[in-house]
Amino acid sequence: MAAPTFPNNPHRYDPYRTFKFQVVIGQSVVAGLSKMGALKRTTEAVKWRSAGDPSHQRVMPGGSSFEAVTLEQGLSHDKVFEEWANAVNNVADGDGGMSLRDYRRGVVINVMNLQGVPAISYQLKRAWVSEFQALPEFDANNMNTVGIQSITIQHEGFVRDEAVAEPAEA
């Protein structure tokens, strides 16, 4: 017999949806967030052969790397993306200097159930902004487009927050 997918809710069969999520940067919930790239870790495969068995190739894990994550936000007056990007490289100050204290931040990603309760949570470690798009391309001929700004975040790994447990659902 297979283990239940949702131990606290054995009546549930469907996985969590991807449209209910929340991102917290530092202590601030990001407003108007519309899209987030995937959390992905890749571990290099190291191939080797043993002298006693030269015809058989073995594979073991090598170093791991973590892909950058892109966040997209509807264009608004929320300055969380711009202020963080400026902490990394502030061209407004004239010399493009950076704050060594504030440019890396903690990021929390919460997957919410349909009732809006956090069900799964991950923490990105030592994150910083490597790309900031302040304004989208504008097109006066297209009235059905929403303005989107985005940041790309580099990080040194992610861990699941085990304190966030599966919520009981009605």
Side-chain angles (χ1 to χ4, degrees), residues 4-14 16 113 115 119 165-170:
T5 306
F6 297 92
N8 291 345
N9 301 290
H11 59 279
R12 181 183 180 128
Y13 296 101
D14 300 328
Y16 294 112
N113 67 7
Q115 288 76 35
E166 176 187 359
E169 296 178 5

Side-chain angles (χ1 to χ4, degrees), residues 20-109:
K20 287 205 98 143
F21 65 100
Q22 177 186 64
V23 175
V24 181
I25 297 174
Q27 303 298 320
S28 302
V29 175
V30 179
L33 197 62
S34 61
K35 189 174 181 183
M36 183 187 111
L39 288 185
K40 187 174 178 183
R41 174 182 61 222
T42 303
T43 302
E44 182 181 354
V46 177
K47 298 177 181 178
W48 63 282
R49 294 183 189 273
S50 174
D53 188 10
S55 63
H56 188 267
Q57 188 174 45
R58 301 189 185 276
V59 181
M60 63 185 204
S64 293
S65 61
F66 300 91
E67 285 193 16
V69 176
T70 299
L71 302 176
E72 294 182 2
Q73 177 186 48
L75 197 55
S76 70
H77 290 276
D78 183 8
K79 293 183 178 181
V80 67
F81 284 3
E82 186 170 2
E83 287 172 352
W84 192 12
N86 286 344
V88 174
N89 189 333
N90 192 349
V91 294
D93 288 343
D95 66 353
M98 66 188 276
S99 165
L100 295 177
R101 180 176 15 167
D102 297 330
Y103 84 102
R104 290 187 187 265
R105 299 196 180 157
V107 176
V108 175
I109 295 121

Side-chain angles (χ1 to χ4, degrees), residues 107-166:
V107 176
V108 175
I109 295 121
N110 292 317
V111 177
M112 315 294 254
N113 67 7
L114 292 176
Q115 288 76 35
V117 177
I120 299 171
S121 185
Y122 280 89
Q123 299 172 355
L124 274 63
K125 300 296 183 184
R126 298 175 46 82
W128 57 278
V129 176
S130 64
E131 185 175 318
F132 171 55
Q133 177 183 301
L135 293 172
E137 180 178 293
F138 289 111
D139 182 357
N141 295 314
N142 190 350
M143 294 175 34
N144 298 321
T145 303
V146 173
I148 300 291
Q149 65 177 211
S150 66
I151 57 174
T152 300
I153 301 172
Q154 303 293 330
H155 59 95
E156 295 180 2
F158 54 85
V159 293
R160 188 167 180 162
D161 184 352
E162 297 296 336
V164 177
E166 176 187 359

